[in-house]
PDB file of all heavy atoms in Angstrom:
ATOM      1  N   TRP W  23     -96.687  10.220-120.796  1.00 95.00           N
ATOM      2  CA  TRP W  23     -95.664   9.925-121.779  1.00 95.00           C
ATOM      3  C   TRP W  23     -95.401   8.382-121.973  1.00 95.00           C
ATOM      4  O   TRP W  23     -94.782   7.962-122.813  1.00 95.00           O
ATOM      5  CB  TRP W  23     -94.352  10.564-121.346  1.00 95.00           C
ATOM      6  CG  TRP W  23     -93.310  10.662-122.514  1.00 95.00           C
ATOM      7  CD1 TRP W  23     -92.336   9.795-122.753  1.00 95.00           C
ATOM      8  CD2 TRP W  23     -93.268  11.713-123.439  1.00 95.00           C
ATOM      9  NE1 TRP W  23     -91.638  10.224-123.821  1.00 95.00           N
ATOM     10  CE2 TRP W  23     -92.138  11.478-124.303  1.00 95.00           C
ATOM     11  CE3 TRP W  23     -93.938  12.859-123.624  1.00 95.00           C
ATOM     12  CZ2 TRP W  23     -91.788  12.276-125.320  1.00 95.00           C
ATOM     13  CZ3 TRP W  23     -93.599  13.719-124.725  1.00 95.00           C
ATOM     14  CH2 TRP W  23     -92.487  13.457-125.485  1.00 95.00           C
ATOM     15  N   GLN W  24     -95.930   7.573-121.049  1.00 90.00           N
ATOM     16  CA  GLN W  24     -95.710   6.151-121.013  1.00 90.00           C
ATOM     17  C   GLN W  24     -96.059   5.554-122.417  1.00 90.00           C
ATOM     18  O   GLN W  24     -97.089   5.837-123.039  1.00 90.00           O
ATOM     19  CB  GLN W  24     -96.548   5.444-119.990  1.00 90.00           C
ATOM     20  CG  GLN W  24     -96.079   5.686-118.556  1.00 90.00           C
ATOM     21  CD  GLN W  24     -94.638   5.129-118.305  1.00 90.00           C
ATOM     22  OE1 GLN W  24     -94.467   3.987-118.352  1.00 90.00           O
ATOM     23  NE2 GLN W  24     -93.674   6.056-118.122  1.00 90.00           N
ATOM     24  N   GLY W  25     -95.173   4.661-122.913  1.00 87.00           N
ATOM     25  CA  GLY W  25     -95.286   4.056-124.150  1.00 87.00           C
ATOM     26  C   GLY W  25     -94.418   4.699-125.264  1.00 87.00           C
ATOM     27  O   GLY W  25     -94.366   4.099-126.371  1.00 87.00           O
ATOM     28  N   LEU W  26     -93.947   5.869-125.031  1.00 90.00           N
ATOM     29  CA  LEU W  26     -93.147   6.637-126.066  1.00 90.00           C
ATOM     30  C   LEU W  26     -91.680   6.352-125.931  1.00 90.00           C
ATOM     31  O   LEU W  26     -90.873   6.427-126.815  1.00 90.00           O
ATOM     32  CB  LEU W  26     -93.383   8.113-125.994  1.00 90.00           C
ATOM     33  CG  LEU W  26     -94.719   8.429-126.615  1.00 90.00           C
ATOM     34  CD1 LEU W  26     -95.004   9.972-126.283  1.00 90.00           C
ATOM     35  CD2 LEU W  26     -94.895   8.220-128.035  1.00 90.00           C
ATOM     36  N   GLY W  27     -91.214   5.980-124.619  1.00 86.00           N
ATOM     37  CA  GLY W  27     -89.801   5.789-124.374  1.00 86.00           C
ATOM     38  C   GLY W  27     -88.972   7.098-124.354  1.00 86.00           C
ATOM     39  O   GLY W  27     -89.551   8.141-124.572  1.00 86.00           O
ATOM     40  N   TYR W  28     -87.730   6.986-124.079  1.00 84.00           N
ATOM     41  CA  TYR W  28     -86.787   8.189-124.008  1.00 84.00           C
ATOM     42  C   TYR W  28     -87.533   9.229-123.181  1.00 84.00           C
ATOM     43  O   TYR W  28     -87.796  10.361-123.652  1.00 84.00           O
ATOM     44  CB  TYR W  28     -86.425   8.676-125.383  1.00 84.00           C
ATOM     45  CG  TYR W  28     -85.623   7.702-126.185  1.00 84.00           C
ATOM     46  CD1 TYR W  28     -86.337   6.916-127.181  1.00 84.00           C
ATOM     47  CD2 TYR W  28     -84.288   7.580-126.010  1.00 84.00           C
ATOM     48  CE1 TYR W  28     -85.549   5.983-127.903  1.00 84.00           C
ATOM     49  CE2 TYR W  28     -83.578   6.724-126.725  1.00 84.00           C
ATOM     50  CZ  TYR W  28     -84.175   5.896-127.650  1.00 84.00           C
ATOM     51  OH  TYR W  28     -83.432   5.058-128.467  1.00 84.00           O
ATOM     52  N   ASN W  29     -87.767   8.903-121.924  1.00 89.00           N
ATOM     53  CA  ASN W  29     -88.664   9.726-121.029  1.00 89.00           C
ATOM     54  C   ASN W  29     -88.010  11.117-120.772  1.00 89.00           C
ATOM     55  O   ASN W  29     -88.721  12.053-120.322  1.00 89.00           O
ATOM     56  CB  ASN W  29     -88.912   9.032-119.724  1.00 89.00           C
ATOM     57  CG  ASN W  29     -89.790   7.841-119.945  1.00 89.00           C
ATOM     58  OD1 ASN W  29     -91.004   7.984-120.084  1.00 89.00           O
ATOM     59  ND2 ASN W  29     -89.175   6.687-119.911  1.00 89.00           N
ATOM     60  N   ARG W  30     -86.718  11.312-120.947  1.00 91.00           N
ATOM     61  CA  ARG W  30     -86.085  12.603-120.792  1.00 91.00           C
ATOM     62  C   ARG W  30     -86.816  13.650-121.664  1.00 91.00           C
ATOM     63  O   ARG W  30     -86.803  14.807-121.337  1.00 91.00           O
ATOM     64  CB  ARG W  30     -84.601  12.526-121.139  1.00 91.00           C
ATOM     65  CG  ARG W  30     -83.879  13.801-120.848  1.00 91.00           C
ATOM     66  CD  ARG W  30     -82.350  13.735-121.226  1.00 91.00           C
ATOM     67  NE  ARG W  30     -81.682  12.815-120.315  1.00 91.00           N
ATOM     68  CZ  ARG W  30     -81.233  11.636-120.486  1.00 91.00           C
ATOM     69  NH1 ARG W  30     -81.442  11.068-121.738  1.00 91.00           N
ATOM     70  NH2 ARG W  30     -80.539  10.895-119.621  1.00 91.00           N
ATOM     71  N   ARG W  31     -87.279  13.206-122.796  1.00 94.00           N
ATOM     72  CA  ARG W  31     -88.009  14.175-123.663  1.00 94.00           C
ATOM     73  C   ARG W  31     -89.179  14.707-123.021  1.00 94.00           C
ATOM     74  O   ARG W  31     -89.510  15.942-123.200  1.00 94.00           O
ATOM     75  CB  ARG W  31     -88.418  13.489-125.034  1.00 94.00           C
ATOM     76  CG  ARG W  31     -87.319  12.946-125.912  1.00 94.00           C
ATOM     77  CD  ARG W  31     -87.793  12.249-127.077  1.00 94.00           C
ATOM     78  NE  ARG W  31     -88.540  11.071-126.770  1.00 94.00           N
ATOM     79  CZ  ARG W  31     -89.299  10.341-127.596  1.00 94.00           C
ATOM     80  NH1 ARG W  31     -89.512  10.801-128.855  1.00 94.00           N
ATOM     81  NH2 ARG W  31     -89.907   9.273-127.194  1.00 94.00           N
ATOM     82  N   ALA W  32     -89.893  13.957-122.130  1.00 94.00           N
ATOM     83  CA  ALA W  32     -91.091  14.492-121.456  1.00 94.00           C
ATOM     84  C   ALA W  32     -90.706  15.604-120.499  1.00 94.00           C
ATOM     85  O   ALA W  32     -91.382  16.663-120.501  1.00 94.00           O
ATOM     86  CB  ALA W  32     -91.765  13.355-120.765  1.00 94.00           C
ATOM     87  N   LEU W  33     -89.527  15.398-119.772  1.00 94.00           N
ATOM     88  CA  LEU W  33     -89.196  16.427-118.818  1.00 94.00           C
ATOM     89  C   LEU W  33     -88.697  17.650-119.493  1.00 94.00           C
ATOM     90  O   LEU W  33     -89.010  18.803-119.161  1.00 94.00           O
ATOM     91  CB  LEU W  33     -88.049  15.849-117.979  1.00 94.00           C
ATOM     92  CG  LEU W  33     -88.415  14.663-117.002  1.00 94.00           C
ATOM     93  CD1 LEU W  33     -87.241  14.394-116.096  1.00 94.00           C
ATOM     94  CD2 LEU W  33     -89.631  14.928-116.222  1.00 94.00           C
ATOM     95  N   ASN W  34     -87.933  17.481-120.646  1.00 95.00           N
ATOM     96  CA  ASN W  34     -87.502  18.614-121.402  1.00 95.00           C
ATOM     97  C   ASN W  34     -88.634  19.364-122.000  1.00 95.00           C
ATOM     98  O   ASN W  34     -88.669  20.643-122.064  1.00 95.00           O
ATOM     99  CB  ASN W  34     -86.559  18.204-122.557  1.00 95.00           C
ATOM    100  CG  ASN W  34     -85.157  17.885-122.057  1.00 95.00           C
ATOM    101  OD1 ASN W  34     -84.701  18.409-120.970  1.00 95.00           O
ATOM    102  ND2 ASN W  34     -84.462  17.030-122.783  1.00 95.00           N
ATOM    103  N   LEU W  35     -89.714  18.647-122.441  1.00 97.00           N
ATOM    104  CA  LEU W  35     -90.884  19.334-123.057  1.00 97.00           C
ATOM    105  C   LEU W  35     -91.576  20.142-121.954  1.00 97.00           C
ATOM    106  O   LEU W  35     -91.985  21.215-122.291  1.00 97.00           O
ATOM    107  CB  LEU W  35     -91.846  18.303-123.663  1.00 97.00           C
ATOM    108  CG  LEU W  35     -93.048  18.806-124.357  1.00 97.00           C
ATOM    109  CD1 LEU W  35     -92.620  19.798-125.554  1.00 97.00           C
ATOM    110  CD2 LEU W  35     -93.863  17.735-124.885  1.00 97.00           C
ATOM    111  N   GLN W  36     -91.684  19.641-120.708  1.00 97.00           N
ATOM    112  CA  GLN W  36     -92.337  20.366-119.698  1.00 97.00           C
ATOM    113  C   GLN W  36     -91.479  21.595-119.364  1.00 97.00           C
ATOM    114  O   GLN W  36     -92.025  22.683-119.129  1.00 97.00           O
ATOM    115  CB  GLN W  36     -92.501  19.599-118.458  1.00 97.00           C
ATOM    116  CG  GLN W  36     -93.284  20.344-117.346  1.00 97.00           C
ATOM    117  CD  GLN W  36     -93.598  19.547-116.187  1.00 97.00           C
ATOM    118  OE1 GLN W  36     -92.784  18.778-115.636  1.00 97.00           O
ATOM    119  NE2 GLN W  36     -94.806  19.667-115.636  1.00 97.00           N
ATOM    120  N   ARG W  37     -90.186  21.396-119.244  1.00 96.00           N
ATOM    121  CA  ARG W  37     -89.370  22.595-119.004  1.00 96.00           C
ATOM    122  C   ARG W  37     -89.399  23.688-120.187  1.00 96.00           C
ATOM    123  O   ARG W  37     -89.421  24.866-119.834  1.00 96.00           O
ATOM    124  CB  ARG W  37     -87.877  22.099-118.938  1.00 96.00           C
ATOM    125  CG  ARG W  37     -87.586  21.324-117.697  1.00 96.00           C
ATOM    126  CD  ARG W  37     -86.258  20.647-117.675  1.00 96.00           C
ATOM    127  NE  ARG W  37     -86.020  19.736-116.533  1.00 96.00           N
ATOM    128  CZ  ARG W  37     -85.366  18.626-116.580  1.00 96.00           C
ATOM    129  NH1 ARG W  37     -84.752  18.163-117.737  1.00 96.00           N
ATOM    130  NH2 ARG W  37     -85.175  17.893-115.514  1.00 96.00           N
ATOM    131  N   ALA W  38     -89.545  23.179-121.390  1.00 98.00           N
ATOM    132  CA  ALA W  38     -89.798  24.109-122.455  1.00 98.00           C
ATOM    133  C   ALA W  38     -90.988  24.869-122.336  1.00 98.00           C
ATOM    134  O   ALA W  38     -91.142  26.067-122.584  1.00 98.00           O
ATOM    135  CB  ALA W  38     -89.724  23.304-123.824  1.00 98.00           C
ATOM    136  N   ALA W  39     -92.148  24.113-121.970  1.00 98.00           N
ATOM    137  CA  ALA W  39     -93.394  24.776-121.745  1.00 98.00           C
ATOM    138  C   ALA W  39     -93.310  25.882-120.634  1.00 98.00           C
ATOM    139  O   ALA W  39     -93.876  26.987-120.820  1.00 98.00           O
ATOM    140  CB  ALA W  39     -94.463  23.798-121.402  1.00 98.00           C
ATOM    141  N   ARG W  40     -92.573  25.598-119.631  1.00 97.00           N
ATOM    142  CA  ARG W  40     -92.456  26.607-118.527  1.00 97.00           C
ATOM    143  C   ARG W  40     -91.651  27.784-119.070  1.00 97.00           C
ATOM    144  O   ARG W  40     -92.000  29.018-118.714  1.00 97.00           O
ATOM    145  CB  ARG W  40     -91.729  25.940-117.361  1.00 97.00           C
ATOM    146  CG  ARG W  40     -92.642  25.014-116.664  1.00 97.00           C
ATOM    147  CD  ARG W  40     -91.925  24.169-115.588  1.00 97.00           C
ATOM    148  NE  ARG W  40     -92.918  23.352-114.869  1.00 97.00           N
ATOM    149  CZ  ARG W  40     -92.590  22.393-113.967  1.00 97.00           C
ATOM    150  NH1 ARG W  40     -91.291  22.177-113.757  1.00 97.00           N
ATOM    151  NH2 ARG W  40     -93.502  21.685-113.396  1.00 97.00           N
ATOM    152  N   MET W  41     -90.658  27.632-119.910  1.00 97.00           N
ATOM    153  CA  MET W  41     -89.875  28.675-120.473  1.00 97.00           C
ATOM    154  C   MET W  41     -90.834  29.579-121.402  1.00 97.00           C
ATOM    155  O   MET W  41     -90.847  30.771-121.431  1.00 97.00           O
ATOM    156  CB  MET W  41     -88.731  28.224-121.264  1.00 97.00           C
ATOM    157  CG  MET W  41     -87.532  27.820-120.346  1.00 97.00           C
ATOM    158  SD  MET W  41     -86.077  27.371-121.464  1.00 97.00           S
ATOM    159  CE  MET W  41     -85.684  28.918-122.303  1.00 97.00           C
ATOM    160  N   ILE W  42     -91.668  28.815-122.230  1.00 98.00           N
ATOM    161  CA  ILE W  42     -92.584  29.515-123.083  1.00 98.00           C
ATOM    162  C   ILE W  42     -93.541  30.407-122.334  1.00 98.00           C
ATOM    163  O   ILE W  42     -93.878  31.524-122.710  1.00 98.00           O
ATOM    164  CB  ILE W  42     -93.242  28.451-123.952  1.00 98.00           C
ATOM    165  CG1 ILE W  42     -92.321  27.844-124.999  1.00 98.00           C
ATOM    166  CG2 ILE W  42     -94.450  29.093-124.729  1.00 98.00           C
ATOM    167  CD1 ILE W  42     -92.844  26.648-125.742  1.00 98.00           C
ATOM    168  N   VAL W  43     -94.049  29.845-121.234  1.00 98.00           N
ATOM    169  CA  VAL W  43     -94.944  30.678-120.413  1.00 98.00           C
ATOM    170  C   VAL W  43     -94.255  31.804-119.688  1.00 98.00           C
ATOM    171  O   VAL W  43     -94.753  32.929-119.764  1.00 98.00           O
ATOM    172  CB  VAL W  43     -95.615  29.709-119.302  1.00 98.00           C
ATOM    173  CG1 VAL W  43     -96.326  30.583-118.228  1.00 98.00           C
ATOM    174  CG2 VAL W  43     -96.479  28.705-119.956  1.00 98.00           C
ATOM    175  N   ASP W  44     -93.129  31.541-119.199  1.00 97.00           N
ATOM    176  CA  ASP W  44     -92.332  32.683-118.460  1.00 97.00           C
ATOM    177  C   ASP W  44     -91.740  33.716-119.316  1.00 97.00           C
ATOM    178  O   ASP W  44     -91.769  34.874-118.964  1.00 97.00           O
ATOM    179  CB  ASP W  44     -91.252  32.012-117.632  1.00 97.00           C
ATOM    180  CG  ASP W  44     -91.745  31.132-116.452  1.00 97.00           C
ATOM    181  OD1 ASP W  44     -92.944  31.308-116.113  1.00 97.00           O
ATOM    182  OD2 ASP W  44     -90.951  30.245-115.914  1.00 97.00           O
ATOM    183  N   LEU W  45     -91.209  33.318-120.538  1.00 96.00           N
ATOM    184  CA  LEU W  45     -90.499  34.253-121.410  1.00 96.00           C
ATOM    185  C   LEU W  45     -91.344  34.877-122.472  1.00 96.00           C
ATOM    186  O   LEU W  45     -91.167  36.017-122.883  1.00 96.00           O
ATOM    187  CB  LEU W  45     -89.313  33.562-122.001  1.00 96.00           C
ATOM    188  CG  LEU W  45     -88.223  33.080-121.035  1.00 96.00           C
ATOM    189  CD1 LEU W  45     -87.095  32.431-121.777  1.00 96.00           C
ATOM    190  CD2 LEU W  45     -87.644  34.195-120.126  1.00 96.00           C
ATOM    191  N   TRP W  46     -92.370  34.127-122.960  1.00 97.00           N
ATOM    192  CA  TRP W  46     -93.087  34.563-124.117  1.00 97.00           C
ATOM    193  C   TRP W  46     -94.611  34.474-123.900  1.00 97.00           C
ATOM    194  O   TRP W  46     -95.333  34.459-124.887  1.00 97.00           O
ATOM    195  CB  TRP W  46     -92.713  33.669-125.379  1.00 97.00           C
ATOM    196  CG  TRP W  46     -91.204  33.844-125.708  1.00 97.00           C
ATOM    197  CD1 TRP W  46     -90.601  34.998-126.009  1.00 97.00           C
ATOM    198  CD2 TRP W  46     -90.295  32.778-125.622  1.00 97.00           C
ATOM    199  NE1 TRP W  46     -89.241  34.702-126.183  1.00 97.00           N
ATOM    200  CE2 TRP W  46     -89.034  33.400-125.898  1.00 97.00           C
ATOM    201  CE3 TRP W  46     -90.290  31.444-125.259  1.00 97.00           C
ATOM    202  CZ2 TRP W  46     -87.784  32.598-125.980  1.00 97.00           C
ATOM    203  CZ3 TRP W  46     -89.193  30.608-125.308  1.00 97.00           C
ATOM    204  CH2 TRP W  46     -87.947  31.292-125.676  1.00 97.00           C
ATOM    205  N   GLY W  47     -94.984  34.508-122.683  1.00 96.00           N
ATOM    206  CA  GLY W  47     -96.532  34.659-122.408  1.00 96.00           C
ATOM    207  C   GLY W  47     -97.260  33.473-122.858  1.00 96.00           C
ATOM    208  O   GLY W  47     -98.489  33.673-123.173  1.00 96.00           O
ATOM    209  N   GLY W  48     -96.679  32.299-123.041  1.00 97.00           N
ATOM    210  CA  GLY W  48     -97.402  31.146-123.478  1.00 97.00           C
ATOM    211  C   GLY W  48     -97.493  30.920-124.976  1.00 97.00           C
ATOM    212  O   GLY W  48     -98.148  30.028-125.486  1.00 97.00           O
ATOM    213  N   ARG W  49     -96.789  31.738-125.782  1.00 97.00           N
ATOM    214  CA  ARG W  49     -96.766  31.660-127.159  1.00 97.00           C
ATOM    215  C   ARG W  49     -95.424  31.026-127.626  1.00 97.00           C
ATOM    216  O   ARG W  49     -94.285  31.595-127.323  1.00 97.00           O
ATOM    217  CB  ARG W  49     -97.000  33.035-127.849  1.00 97.00           C
ATOM    218  CG  ARG W  49     -98.337  33.711-127.481  1.00 97.00           C
ATOM    219  CD  ARG W  49     -98.374  35.047-128.100  1.00 97.00           C
ATOM    220  NE  ARG W  49     -98.351  35.082-129.610  1.00 97.00           N
ATOM    221  CZ  ARG W  49     -99.382  34.916-130.348  1.00 97.00           C
ATOM    222  NH1 ARG W  49    -100.607  34.824-129.761  1.00 97.00           N
ATOM    223  NH2 ARG W  49     -99.301  34.940-131.690  1.00 97.00           N
ATOM    224  N   VAL W  50     -95.534  30.047-128.367  1.00 97.00           N
ATOM    225  CA  VAL W  50     -94.268  29.368-128.905  1.00 97.00           C
ATOM    226  C   VAL W  50     -93.626  30.382-129.809  1.00 97.00           C
ATOM    227  O   VAL W  50     -94.214  30.910-130.764  1.00 97.00           O
ATOM    228  CB  VAL W  50     -94.676  28.096-129.671  1.00 97.00           C
ATOM    229  CG1 VAL W  50     -93.451  27.490-130.292  1.00 97.00           C
ATOM    230  CG2 VAL W  50     -95.323  27.084-128.704  1.00 97.00           C
ATOM    231  N   PRO W  51     -92.279  30.544-129.612  1.00 96.00           N
ATOM    232  CA  PRO W  51     -91.678  31.528-130.460  1.00 96.00           C
ATOM    233  C   PRO W  51     -91.498  31.100-131.924  1.00 96.00           C
ATOM    234  O   PRO W  51     -91.340  29.885-132.130  1.00 96.00           O
ATOM    235  CB  PRO W  51     -90.282  31.729-129.816  1.00 96.00           C
ATOM    236  CG  PRO W  51     -90.053  30.447-129.042  1.00 96.00           C
ATOM    237  CD  PRO W  51     -91.408  30.084-128.568  1.00 96.00           C
ATOM    238  N   GLU W  52     -91.536  32.033-132.821  1.00 96.00           N
ATOM    239  CA  GLU W  52     -91.369  31.713-134.284  1.00 96.00           C
ATOM    240  C   GLU W  52     -89.876  31.551-134.732  1.00 96.00           C
ATOM    241  O   GLU W  52     -89.569  30.801-135.661  1.00 96.00           O
ATOM    242  CB  GLU W  52     -92.076  32.754-135.116  1.00 96.00           C
ATOM    243  CG  GLU W  52     -92.077  32.511-136.605  1.00 96.00           C
ATOM    244  CD  GLU W  52     -92.852  33.560-137.294  1.00 96.00           C
ATOM    245  OE1 GLU W  52     -93.588  34.287-136.692  1.00 96.00           O
ATOM    246  OE2 GLU W  52     -92.699  33.672-138.580  1.00 96.00           O
ATOM    247  N   ASP W  53     -88.988  32.302-134.134  1.00 96.00           N
ATOM    248  CA  ASP W  53     -87.618  32.395-134.471  1.00 96.00           C
ATOM    249  C   ASP W  53     -86.880  31.076-134.077  1.00 96.00           C
ATOM    250  O   ASP W  53     -86.843  30.734-132.937  1.00 96.00           O
ATOM    251  CB  ASP W  53     -86.987  33.570-133.842  1.00 96.00           C
ATOM    252  CG  ASP W  53     -85.560  33.857-134.377  1.00 96.00           C
ATOM    253  OD1 ASP W  53     -84.988  32.922-134.903  1.00 96.00           O
ATOM    254  OD2 ASP W  53     -85.073  34.979-134.055  1.00 96.00           O
ATOM    255  N   PRO W  54     -86.300  30.365-135.081  1.00 95.00           N
ATOM    256  CA  PRO W  54     -85.541  29.147-134.761  1.00 95.00           C
ATOM    257  C   PRO W  54     -84.381  29.353-133.742  1.00 95.00           C
ATOM    258  O   PRO W  54     -84.091  28.417-132.972  1.00 95.00           O
ATOM    259  CB  PRO W  54     -84.993  28.664-136.115  1.00 95.00           C
ATOM    260  CG  PRO W  54     -85.841  29.302-137.085  1.00 95.00           C
ATOM    261  CD  PRO W  54     -86.246  30.637-136.507  1.00 95.00           C
ATOM    262  N   VAL W  55     -83.824  30.572-133.673  1.00 95.00           N
ATOM    263  CA  VAL W  55     -82.833  30.915-132.723  1.00 95.00           C
ATOM    264  C   VAL W  55     -83.390  30.819-131.338  1.00 95.00           C
ATOM    265  O   VAL W  55     -82.722  30.294-130.388  1.00 95.00           O
ATOM    266  CB  VAL W  55     -82.191  32.192-132.988  1.00 95.00           C
ATOM    267  CG1 VAL W  55     -81.182  32.550-131.941  1.00 95.00           C
ATOM    268  CG2 VAL W  55     -81.427  32.181-134.386  1.00 95.00           C
ATOM    269  N   LEU W  56     -84.509  31.370-131.090  1.00 97.00           N
ATOM    270  CA  LEU W  56     -85.150  31.326-129.798  1.00 97.00           C
ATOM    271  C   LEU W  56     -85.684  29.883-129.502  1.00 97.00           C
ATOM    272  O   LEU W  56     -85.566  29.453-128.382  1.00 97.00           O
ATOM    273  CB  LEU W  56     -86.409  32.189-129.818  1.00 97.00           C
ATOM    274  CG  LEU W  56     -86.085  33.777-129.934  1.00 97.00           C
ATOM    275  CD1 LEU W  56     -87.401  34.553-129.903  1.00 97.00           C
ATOM    276  CD2 LEU W  56     -85.142  34.213-128.832  1.00 97.00           C
ATOM    277  N   LEU W  57     -86.146  29.188-130.472  1.00 97.00           N
ATOM    278  CA  LEU W  57     -86.674  27.800-130.286  1.00 97.00           C
ATOM    279  C   LEU W  57     -85.476  26.948-129.751  1.00 97.00           C
ATOM    280  O   LEU W  57     -85.657  26.069-128.989  1.00 97.00           O
ATOM    281  CB  LEU W  57     -87.179  27.264-131.553  1.00 97.00           C
ATOM    282  CG  LEU W  57     -88.572  27.780-131.989  1.00 97.00           C
ATOM    283  CD1 LEU W  57     -88.882  27.427-133.449  1.00 97.00           C
ATOM    284  CD2 LEU W  57     -89.618  27.151-131.054  1.00 97.00           C
TER     285      LEU W  57
END
């Protein structure tokens, strides 16, 4: 992530990836409510 700044976004993105794997089998949900 270096060079992009606002590094909290990197940690949140990784946490989001873990939720996507755990809850939806690695598929990004289509529903904005779930997103």
Side-chain angles (χ1 to χ4, degrees):
W23 198 268
Q24 286 297 293
L26 287 170
Y28 296 98
N29 292 282
R30 184 180 289 107
R31 293 178 298 167
L33 298 187
N34 281 336
L35 185 58
Q36 183 177 45
R37 292 168 184 147
R40 289 171 175 169
M41 284 184 63
I42 289 167
V43 170
D44 292 343
L45 298 179
W46 300 296
R49 297 175 64 88
V50 176
E52 180 176 346
D53 188 342
V55 174
L56 295 179
L57 285 166

